[in-house]
Amino acid sequence: MFSSIASIQEAISQGKSAVEITKFFLDKIEHNSHLNAFLEVFESSAIKKAEEVDAKIKAGKAGKLAGVVIGLKDNICYKNHKVSASSKILEGFESLYSSTVVERLLAEDAIIIGRLNCDEFAMGSSNENSAFGPVKNPLNNKTVPGGSSGGSAAALAAGLCTVTLGSDTGGSIRQPASFCGLVGFKPTYGVVSRHGLIAYASSFDQIGPFTNSAEDAATILEIIGGSDEFDSTASPDKLPIYQDVQIKKNYKIALLQEVADTKGVDDEVLKGLQNFTDNLKSAGHEIEYVSFPYLDYIVPTYYVLTTAEASSNLARFDGVHYGYRSQDAVGVEEIYKKSRTDGFGPEVKRRIMSGTFVLSNEFYDAYYSQGQKVRRVLKNRIEEIFKDFDFILTPTTPNTAFDIDSVKDPIQMYLQDIFTVTANLTGHPAVSLPLGQHSNGLPFGMQLMGKSFSDMELLKFSQQIQNTNSNK
């Protein structure tokens, strides 16, 4: 119920009020509190906004998202509401302004219902790194929902919102979407403003939607995307209108040879990939294997560069300006040391230390400079592939959702991102589509990556795939 933007619009056209819809979700959130998806429910402001929306509907002045209930990942700022990046270091902090994406959603009469749990500072692949406890996958409460946007994925999969927003630095939207059976979309870098997103790695981070259809993802992207005077990395170019996009009858799709040869990929995921490619071929699309010999370099390069950026970005959280401050500290130096030691969790501290190491004078050239060079090599190779192909196809994840507290080795956890990080390193758009079902009962996704700024064409083609899949 109310699982799509169209279903909300239909309900309102039949006399349902935005207040009724909001109360429906508030009640459902309360009955699913065991998932730990929401860190805070904005009940009073959501009801107030819903009342305003109802008045606009009566006056015939309602926006495109009138009555659509949206949850925000807890690293997206909303004025006069708390935001913590799921970290103790931002304890009690209330945002002084709204992010650009929030302002644009509110302008179209979306109702923001709460902030959603995530891995601390968006660092993780399982949502077990939150200072406020892990999120449970609503499809199987013993398993993780994926990360870092696990709360956003779990909330949508459990039907607690119509749409949720997450951020994607190395797969943090697409991997949870795969684990929870959703559409998860990472736009081209620069299509969506990062103003008001608490930064992890600024040259990688991108805000994007979780939805139940590619069409809804496109609707949200049309609203939140576009240039922004507050973000110099936001592209000035406008994306085409989704409804105006014409897709080809036959596409040429590249399948990376090394993916099929990668150890550790679940056999049923590989079989699902084969079934999907067979279906695409049957529909008239051309599928070819291409070589991408850099697969083993992707994750190391990603972690060298993102930890360096994290080390720099997180220096501002010091126990002095705002947020958590150690009560045991005496003197300025101790305030810095003890506040950061107590305020950050283990994974965040691990990445800050790694980033500080790779940025140090002795190792800068050996690690950070080399990482930037490898990033360029990766981008060049992907661009070469896109000269001959329209899309690149891979599984989204090597496996389905794993049990909570079952992956102890950080390296094994980092390898969860092996298929998703390329799009962040190169800046291309990528979507995870819920196209597989494992014998263990859990879903898994297939990922399509498109050319830079082909976001709407990628989503239009994805919707065609979803429609074809649902008709079988």
Side-chain angles (χ1 to χ4, degrees), residues 254-260 289-292 295 385 392-394:
L255 191 59
L256 303 184
Q257 178 65 54
E258 287 73 16
V259 169
Y289 280 96
V290 297
S291 177
F292 186 72
L295 200 63
I385 293 171
I392 296 172
L393 170 65
T394 67

Side-chain angles (χ1 to χ4, degrees), residues 73 166-174 186 204-207 424:
K73 185 176 180 178
S167 65
D168 193 310
T169 307
S172 288
I173 291 173
R174 290 159 289 149
K186 183 205 84 76
F204 292 77
D205 299 339
Q206 192 68 177
I207 297 170
N424 300 88

Side-chain angles (χ1 to χ4, degrees), residues 404-417:
I404 293 171
D405 202 31
S406 64
V407 179
K408 308 289 187 183
D409 181 0
I411 303 299
Q412 285 301 115
M413 189 68 81
Y414 296 165
L415 288 172
Q416 291 294 320
D417 300 330

Side-chain angles (χ1 to χ4, degrees), residues 311-334:
S311 173
S312 176
N313 279 328
L314 272 62
R316 71 194 72 172
F317 304 108
D318 53 18
V320 175
H321 297 92
Y322 46 78
Y324 174 78
R325 178 183 294 181
S326 173
Q327 298 302 307
D328 302 327
V330 178
V332 175
E333 187 175 341
E334 253 194 31

Side-chain angles (χ1 to χ4, degrees), residues 18-312:
V19 169
E20 287 176 294
I21 293 167
T22 304
K23 286 182 176 178
F24 166 83
F25 283 118
L26 288 169
D27 183 61
K28 205 165 182 186
I29 290 167
E30 187 178 346
H31 283 89
N32 285 273
S33 59
H34 65 283
L35 297 175
N36 199 30
F38 279 87
L39 293 180
E40 185 181 3
V41 180
F42 302 147
E43 183 171 354
S44 59
S45 64
I47 292 292
K48 184 181 176 183
K49 178 66 176 178
E51 290 170 347
E52 292 173 6
V53 171
D54 282 333
K56 282 189 171 185
I57 291 169
K58 286 180 182 176
K61 297 179 179 178
K64 295 176 185 175
L65 297 178
V68 176
V69 173
I70 296 179
L72 299 177
K73 185 176 180 178
D74 186 39
N75 61 351
I76 300 172
C77 294
Y78 182 14
K79 188 176 181 180
N80 298 327
H81 292 75
K82 288 181 181 177
V83 62
S84 73
S86 293
S87 178
K88 185 179 176 182
I89 199 83
L90 275 170
E91 189 174 71
F93 177 71
E94 197 171 277
S95 184
L96 302 174
Y97 67 97
S98 287
S99 60
T100 297
V101 295
V102 166
E103 288 184 343
R104 290 175 179 176
L105 291 171
L106 292 173
E108 291 294 344
D109 292 325
I111 296 159
I112 295 174
I113 204 165
R115 57 188 177 104
L116 294 156
N117 204 346
C118 60
D119 282 302
E120 185 180 5
F121 282 96
M123 298 182 190
S125 302
S126 64
N127 217 142
E128 294 173 286
N129 295 330
S130 169
F132 307 102
V135 176
K136 295 177 181 177
N137 190 324
L139 306 179
N140 180 339
N141 291 178
K142 293 179 180 178
T143 64
V144 302
S148 63
S149 310
S152 300
L156 185 62
L160 311 184
C161 303
T162 308
V163 172
T164 59
L165 289 190
S167 65
D168 193 310
T169 307
S172 288
I173 291 173
R174 290 159 289 149
Q175 188 245 24
S178 178
F179 282 5
C180 293
L182 305 168
V183 173
F185 182 64
K186 183 205 84 76
T188 301
Y189 183 82
V191 161
V192 178
S193 170
R194 292 180 296 106
H195 176 64
L197 173 69
I198 297 174
Y200 160 21
S202 303
S203 72
F204 292 77
D205 299 339
Q206 192 68 177
I207 297 170
F210 288 90
T211 56
N212 286 305
S213 71
E215 185 172 16
D216 277 1
T219 299
I220 297 299
L221 186 63
E222 284 181 350
I223 290 164
I224 66 174
S227 62
D228 181 17
E229 62 179 322
F230 297 111
D231 180 4
S232 62
T233 65
S235 172
D237 299 329
K238 282 188 175 181
L239 290 175
I241 302 299
Y242 177 78
Q243 297 298 341
D244 295 341
V245 172
Q246 300 295 316
I247 57 174
K248 299 178 186 177
K249 187 176 181 182
N250 306 116
Y251 278 105
K252 196 172 179 185
I253 300 167
L255 191 59
L256 303 184
Q257 178 65 54
E258 287 73 16
V259 169
D261 300 335
T262 300
K263 292 179 181 178
V265 182
D266 186 283
D267 288 343
E268 290 188 44
V269 172
L270 288 176
K271 186 179 177 183
L273 178 65
Q274 185 61 55
N275 290 340
F276 182 44
T277 56
D278 289 345
N279 291 338
L280 289 171
K281 286 177 183 176
S282 298
H285 303 294
E286 188 179 342
I287 313 287
E288 282 185 29
Y289 280 96
V290 297
S291 177
F292 186 72
Y294 308 114
L295 200 63
D296 290 344
Y297 299 95
I298 290 172
V299 173
T301 303
Y302 170 80
Y303 279 98
V304 165
L305 297 178
T306 56
T307 57
E309 293 187 23
S311 173
S312 176

